[in-house]
Amino acid sequence: MHPSCESGICTDPKCCSGGYKFMWPNTLGMYGEQAKRIIEKDNPFVTAVIVHRGEGVTDDFCCNRVWVYVDEHGKVAYRVPIVG
């Protein structure tokens, strides 16, 4: 389930951070569910959404969402998870 989009006046990840983490390069290569737990623990204002290869996502920018792209093995790949 995708959270409702909240961005306020922000148009970039750093603006959304509110002092919390907004980027997770350390999760590349780990399993998506593990990355989701880490992301949501590091920033309690976001929901991490796991996206499997071939699934579409919306183009809107949301301060309370992180797309977590995973490969066919369920590991974070393709892009560093970032708020937006």
Side-chain angles (χ1 to χ4, degrees), residues 26-73:
N26 57 308
T27 62
L28 284 172
M30 71 175 52
Y31 285 103
E33 288 296 331
Q34 180 184 12
K36 177 178 171 60
R37 285 191 299 275
I38 289 169
I39 291 165
E40 291 176 352
K41 182 179 178 188
D42 285 351
N43 185 333
F45 296 106
V46 301
T47 298
V49 180
I50 295 175
V51 181
H52 296 90
R53 187 177 186 144
E55 290 182 340
V57 298
T58 61
D59 288 335
D60 55 345
F61 180 86
C62 299
C63 284
N64 60 324
R65 180 188 62 215
V66 177
W67 298 126
V68 180
Y69 294 92
V70 297
D71 63 16
E72 62 276 4
H73 304 290

Side-chain angles (χ1 to χ4, degrees), residues 13-14 22-24 39 62 65-67 79-84:
K14 190 171 185 179
F22 61 92
M23 174 180 240
W24 291 267
I39 291 165
C62 299
R65 180 188 62 215
V66 177
W67 298 126
R79 298 181 188 176
V80 170
I82 189 166
V83 168

